[in-house]
Amino acid sequence: METEAYEKMELLRFTTAGSVDDGKSTLIGRLLYDSKSIFEDQMEAVERSSKRKGLERVELAHLTDGLKDEREQGITIDVAYRYFATPKRKFIIADTPGHIQYTRNMVTGASTANLALILVDARNGVLQQTARHSFIASLLQIPHLIVCINKMDLVDYSEEAYEKVVAEFTNFAAKLDVKDVRFIPISALYGDNVVKPSENMKWYQGGTLLNTLEHIHIGSDHNLIDCRFPVQTVIRPYDDEYHDFRGYAGRIEGGIFKKGDDILVLPSGYTSKVSAIHFDDLQLDEAQPPMSVIIELEDDIDISRGDVLVRPNNRPDQTQDIDFMMCWFNNKGPRPRAKYILRHTTNEVKAIIRNIQYKVDINTLHRIEDDKDIKMNDIARVQVRTTKPLLCDPYRKNRITGSVVLIDETTNETVAAGMII
Amino acid sequence: MKSYQLNHLDELESEAIFILREVFAQFENPVILFSGGKDSLVVTYLAKKAFYPARIPFSLMHVDTGHNFPETIKFRDDLIQKLGVNLIVGSVQKSINEGRVEEESGINASRNVLQTTTLLDTIEENNIDCAIGGGRRDEEKARAKERFFSHRDEFGQWDPKNQRPELWNLFNGRKNFGEHFRVFPISNWTEMDVWMYIQREGIEIPSLYYAHERDVIRRNNTWIPVSEFIQIRPEDKVERKILRFRTLGDITITGGIESDADNLPKIIAEVAAARRTERGNRADDMRSETSMEDRKKEGYF
């Protein structure tokens, strides 16, 4: 590969969810195999294990199994990350199990994705599982959704069968909050429309799956409007050359910061101007998400981890009462009146779950208001009170400044994730 | 319209720098696990970028099996001096002398497995609460399940089935006394990304990665360097070959590949055309299908 081309590649993170029979692992196996991302020794290992199990065909699905238990049970338990690249883009796949008891893993995989790949069996149409995966993609505000209508070989590559599923999904998706949905008829098993255009479905005019993954516009997935810079740490070199240097290290989580910009520091309320943006030994005129930089201000102000730099006319919400959609991760439910550590950007505060408004049946999207007993994998709308005000945005506006996790004080486990409403 | 989309190497770099700063903010005594291999070099280089103009706020820690390539040790010492950072060495020989571990015997003996004890002892002796490693998820199937912030219990063990969920860029490094974390800032990089980055940034790497002449013997389908640490049997044929190493581990287990790639563009072309994974030449991974998973659970790198 040309070095220059490699340096122009973009990164696309996508998530898939699926269970044993829907062909998810076969599809990923095929993407990896056809894009030549599978190495001989990995293939040999899969051949050996397929043979040991007495399988006739080499099971491409085994390429994506990681842990010993997963291979023995033939299931994916956790999120596994896969990598492949074409000359245009590098892809990171967060491959997650699809069963309802792994909702938390799906949520985890979806949190960093630009795109969700949803698989629908052409014979069955929209099932509970499809609904579940689509709901999670919408809840986590994944900007792009590709619905692969799979197993087209089993419905004679019929356009009518495809259109029926498209109509059914479109009807269902009206209830969801997704902006960009595309449909592709494929056969993961035979490779139709995965990497190569299908000879069997001339009626389909759109791109193949890989082509779509390579070209979908991801340039506006970050919020470039509302400037947000949560401070991670303060950089003070303490040596002669940089005696007075005081820089704020962090990642730009929203908007474009420019040298000379007016800045408001929260929660203190002090104002100043950006005097320099540093990256290593370079000085930049501007910086955008998700760049990790060091910002220097004109005035010496007391700023520490957890503070946020914004523009004076564009503030985040400042509140101790937060409503969010919560996914519970732990096998023990929330304890009554328990305090949790709430982590939001680089900030940590204590929090109490004050009220559980309703749970969501993620198969039907119905609200459950009579059962408020939170168990692992439940998704619920909750109200939380924090000990100190949070500087946050609605999740719809910014996926980073709008998200939180709850940590159990005694076990230190991450017990829940929340998307601020 | 101006594009505000970063290229993929810049995005990976930014992610790794974010992680390294989180380590600094969340832990008291973190170290970078340094092997002299390209991945730990890239992590060290990223740490320099993350805190510049301040110095790297971490010590480097090397688990020295005693079975090193001499080039690695020289490279390590030069780098330490250049960066002005502290070096902590954990010695496998010392663990053997103290009776903490028993040396393996036989033709395929190596000190690879023994490293785990030395690593965990050194972490404990130095009160280290976070060890930053160069592990990548594309390297091996057990590593594909690894978190950026990976918890280790008080015995240094990894419990892959009970890992903390990691969402967005919220990393939970909270722990009880005696426990520690392993953090992998370049989790999302592939072998190709690492090489491209080394080339783009002009990062210096040990000469062992470039093609050179060396005496080797054929063992387990790979070329093992002749050194004072391996037993040469009468039937072994010592040959002089032009080769290079794709990964660097102990001299006893790191197999070379025949190659004339003596500069970075040639190495990158070779990596791009390679049909076997880089760890395919590592005897430590070929012991069984789950050898990496098993070693990781015990506390290995």
Side-chain angles (χ1 to χ4, degrees):
Chain A
M1 194 185 297
E2 297 279 327
T3 311
E4 210 175 302
Y6 197 84
E7 288 183 356
K8 285 194 192 122
M9 279 165 62
E10 293 172 337
L11 182 63
L12 178 89
R13 300 172 199 248
F14 69 94
T15 179
T16 62
S19 50
V20 187
D21 299 319
D22 63 7
K24 177 202 65 165
S25 298
T26 312
L27 178 62
I28 293 177
R30 177 148 302 280
L31 275 174
L32 298 179
Y33 189 74
D34 285 359
S35 65
K36 303 196 168 45
S37 308
I38 301 291
F39 293 101
E40 278 173 13
D41 50 334
Q42 290 173 318
M43 203 62 201
E44 285 162 14
V46 169
E47 280 165 12
R48 275 198 305 274
S49 80
S50 300
K51 203 184 269 177
R52 208 169 42 235
K53 287 195 181 141
L55 299 173
E56 264 175 42
R57 207 155 39 88
V58 174
E59 193 59 76
L60 278 181
H62 287 178
L63 284 167
T64 62
D65 298 334
L67 302 170
K68 196 192 316 194
D69 286 349
E70 293 177 328
R71 285 196 298 281
E72 280 165 6
Q73 297 170 39
I75 53 163
T76 315
I77 297 169
D78 200 349
V79 186
Y81 294 90
R82 313 280 158 205
Y83 302 84
F84 73 102
T86 69
K88 295 213 167 51
R89 274 184 182 161
K90 167 180 165 141
F91 299 95
I92 301 179
I93 313 176
D95 179 16
T96 66
H99 284 290
I100 194 152
Q101 69 264 37
Y102 299 113
T103 302
R104 60 189 197 132
N105 309 77
M106 288 183 256
V107 168
T108 302
S111 72
T112 50
N114 312 79
L115 183 148
L117 207 67
I118 308 268
L119 276 164
V120 183
D121 188 321
R123 297 168 302 174
N124 305 329
V126 177
L127 299 179
Q128 272 192 355
Q129 169 156 303
T130 323
R132 200 156 63 223
H133 299 165
S134 312
F135 172 65
I136 289 169
S138 143
L139 186 69
L140 274 290
Q141 287 286 301
I142 299 178
H144 313 280
L145 209 62
I146 296 181
V147 181
C148 285
I149 297 164
N150 190 23
K151 307 199 182 177
M152 287 300 293
D153 51 299
L154 298 180
V155 293
D156 298 326
Y157 298 104
S158 144
E159 183 176 8
E160 201 184 322
Y162 164 76
E163 290 296 349
K164 191 167 156 250
V165 181
V166 170
E168 197 186 349
F169 189 92
T170 309
N171 185 33
F172 157 78
K175 286 189 267 184
L176 301 173
D177 184 12
V178 286
K179 293 166 202 104
D180 175 23
V181 187
R182 296 156 201 237
F183 300 93
I184 305 174
I186 65 164
S187 163
L189 191 61
Y190 297 104
D192 293 85
N193 286 335
V194 178
V195 173
K196 294 181 206 110
S198 171
E199 287 297 315
N200 300 309
M201 291 179 277
K202 299 256 193 233
W203 48 264
Y204 172 72
Q205 301 295 318
T208 62
L209 173 60
L210 188 65
N211 187 272
T212 310
L213 290 172
E214 281 183 320
H215 291 98
I216 210 158
H217 177 69
I218 53 171
S220 35
D221 288 0
H222 288 286
N223 179 329
L224 299 176
I225 310 289
D226 309 295
C227 289
R228 302 288 183 262
F229 185 79
V231 174
Q232 274 187 290
T233 184
V234 183
I235 304 286
R236 303 220 53 183
Y238 297 111
D239 64 14
D240 294 342
E241 199 185 341
Y242 296 98
H243 192 73
D244 295 323
F245 187 93
R246 188 186 174 90
Y248 306 103
R251 190 151 92 163
I252 295 179
E253 305 294 12
I256 294 155
F257 282 79
K258 295 191 171 81
K259 193 177 164 176
D261 274 354
D262 289 322
I263 288 294
L264 172 69
V265 183
L266 292 173
S268 68
Y270 290 120
T271 53
S272 184
K273 275 184 195 302
V274 174
S275 64
I277 302 172
H278 299 269
F279 180 69
D280 193 20
D281 51 1
L282 302 173
Q283 290 214 19
L284 312 175
D285 291 330
E286 58 177 18
Q288 82 264 18
M291 290 171 70
S292 291
V293 295
I294 291 172
I295 291 183
E296 250 189 307
L297 299 181
E298 279 182 6
D299 307 279
D300 233 347
I301 307 172
D302 183 22
I303 298 177
S304 53
R305 178 172 167 86
D307 290 355
V308 56
L309 310 188
V310 302
R311 303 268 287 145
N313 54 0
N314 184 335
R315 293 164 173 243
D317 299 330
Q318 191 159 359
T319 170
Q320 281 176 267
D321 292 294
I322 298 142
D323 274 25
F324 57 78
M325 293 301 288
M326 177 178 82
C327 178
W328 192 260
F329 289 152
N330 207 261
N331 52 21
K332 284 190 278 264
R335 292 186 308 271
R337 291 186 305 282
K339 283 194 205 72
Y340 290 95
I341 294 158
L342 182 150
R343 184 178 277 258
H344 168 255
T345 66
T346 55
N347 206 2
E348 255 184 24
V349 295
K350 292 212 173 146
I352 302 175
I353 302 173
R354 281 204 146 169
N355 184 21
I356 293 159
Q357 285 170 282
Y358 56 83
K359 293 206 294 187
V360 180
D361 179 327
I362 66 165
N363 293 327
T364 61
L365 311 191
H366 290 151
R367 291 180 183 185
I368 308 167
E369 307 202 18
D370 53 351
D371 167 20
K372 293 184 179 173
D373 186 22
I374 304 275
K375 293 186 231 36
M376 184 153 76
N377 295 309
D378 276 349
I379 288 174
R381 179 168 172 160
V382 298
Q383 285 176 322
V384 162
R385 171 89 181 166
T386 58
T387 47
K388 279 191 284 183
L390 230 51
L391 296 154
C392 57
D393 292 297
Y395 186 77
R396 286 205 76 214
K397 187 165 157 185
N398 188 318
R399 292 171 79 188
I400 300 299
T401 56
S403 52
V404 301
V405 293
L406 297 183
I407 297 165
D408 188 308
E409 270 189 307
T410 47
T411 63
N412 294 323
E413 289 170 316
T414 304
V415 293
M419 282 71 65
I420 297 170
I421 292 165
Chain B
M1 203 185 85
K2 192 177 165 190
S3 164
Y4 282 105
Q5 181 65 30
L6 295 186
N7 76 37
H8 90 286
L9 276 182
D10 287 336
E11 192 167 337
L12 292 172
E13 177 187 59
S14 172
E15 177 178 85
I17 288 175
F18 179 84
I19 302 281
L20 286 161
R21 290 170 174 170
E22 279 303 289
V23 169
F24 175 68
Q26 292 195 36
F27 296 95
E28 279 169 24
N29 191 18
V31 294
I32 296 177
L33 293 172
F34 186 82
S35 66
K38 64 182 189 312
D39 300 316
S40 66
L41 276 166
V42 164
V43 170
T44 307
Y45 179 86
L46 287 163
K48 181 189 128 320
K49 271 198 173 186
F51 299 98
Y52 184 89
R55 283 188 186 180
I56 298 177
F58 313 126
S59 299
L60 299 196
M61 180 173 142
H62 182 218
V63 175
D64 182 354
T65 60
H67 289 175
N68 301 297
F69 286 96
E71 291 91 336
T72 307
I73 297 299
K74 165 124 187 14
F75 190 90
R76 177 195 78 187
D77 295 342
D78 291 349
L79 187 77
I80 291 292
Q81 195 156 30
K82 205 162 73 185
L83 295 174
V85 295
N86 179 40
L87 174 72
I88 298 169
V89 178
S91 160
V92 173
Q93 188 61 54
K94 182 168 154 258
S95 303
I96 294 169
N97 295 346
E98 288 172 352
R100 296 277 295 128
V101 290
E102 192 131 347
E103 183 113 57
E104 289 184 5
S105 57
I107 194 72
N108 288 320
S110 97
R111 289 182 166 180
N112 184 277
V113 178
L114 311 187
Q115 290 181 91
T116 301
T117 301
T118 309
L119 171 65
L120 294 177
D121 286 355
T122 314
I123 285 175
E124 199 177 318
E125 281 160 24
N126 292 278
N127 294 316
I128 288 157
D129 57 355
C130 174
I132 306 163
R136 308 189 323 263
R137 289 172 179 157
D138 82 320
E139 273 180 273
E140 207 280 335
K141 50 192 180 291
R143 288 211 161 142
K145 306 270 155 154
E146 186 65 271
R147 301 291 191 262
F148 278 96
F149 273 44
S150 186
H151 180 255
R152 296 291 183 274
D153 67 14
E154 57 185 318
F155 301 101
Q157 293 183 327
W158 181 53
D159 182 1
K161 280 198 282 185
N162 192 23
Q163 299 196 76
R164 294 179 185 176
E166 230 163 47
L167 296 98
W168 301 290
N169 55 6
L170 296 168
F171 298 98
N172 173 5
R174 300 186 73 96
K175 59 186 176 345
N176 290 319
F177 185 75
E179 301 172 344
H180 76 276
F181 270 78
R182 302 286 171 84
V183 171
F184 303 99
I186 61 167
S187 287
N188 277 331
W189 299 43
T190 60
E191 184 188 15
M192 189 56 147
D193 296 328
V194 168
W195 282 115
M196 282 292 181
Y197 190 72
I198 287 170
Q199 171 165 279
R200 186 181 93 171
E201 303 288 316
I203 302 170
E204 211 183 315
I205 53 168
S207 57
L208 298 160
Y209 282 113
Y210 298 107
H212 58 282
E213 260 189 67
R214 180 178 289 272
D215 286 338
V216 287
I217 56 169
R218 192 76 184 156
R219 203 169 269 177
N220 296 328
N221 276 325
T222 183
W223 296 107
I224 296 287
V226 172
S227 72
E228 57 185 303
F229 308 114
I230 61 161
Q231 289 179 41
I232 303 203
R233 294 166 300 191
E235 63 269 33
D236 285 326
K237 200 170 98 195
V238 175
E239 293 178 66
R240 188 128 186 110
K241 289 273 176 198
I242 295 178
L243 50 72
R244 63 177 209 90
F245 298 94
R246 263 178 97 183
T247 66
L248 294 185
D250 276 7
I251 197 165
T252 55
I253 53 167
T254 306
I257 50 166
E258 288 183 70
S259 164
D260 59 2
D262 54 5
N263 60 32
L264 280 173
K266 285 188 196 167
I267 290 176
I268 287 166
E270 192 181 278
V271 171
R275 298 308 304 144
R276 302 188 78 81
T277 60
E278 56 184 328
R279 295 195 74 95
N281 292 303
R282 288 284 283 262
D284 44 334
D285 290 346
M286 292 193 285
R287 288 192 171 185
S288 85
E289 199 177 334
T290 56
S291 56
M292 178 64 91
E293 184 179 337
D294 297 340
R295 279 179 296 160
K296 277 183 69 68
K297 282 180 184 165
E298 295 300 316
Y300 185 73
F301 296 100

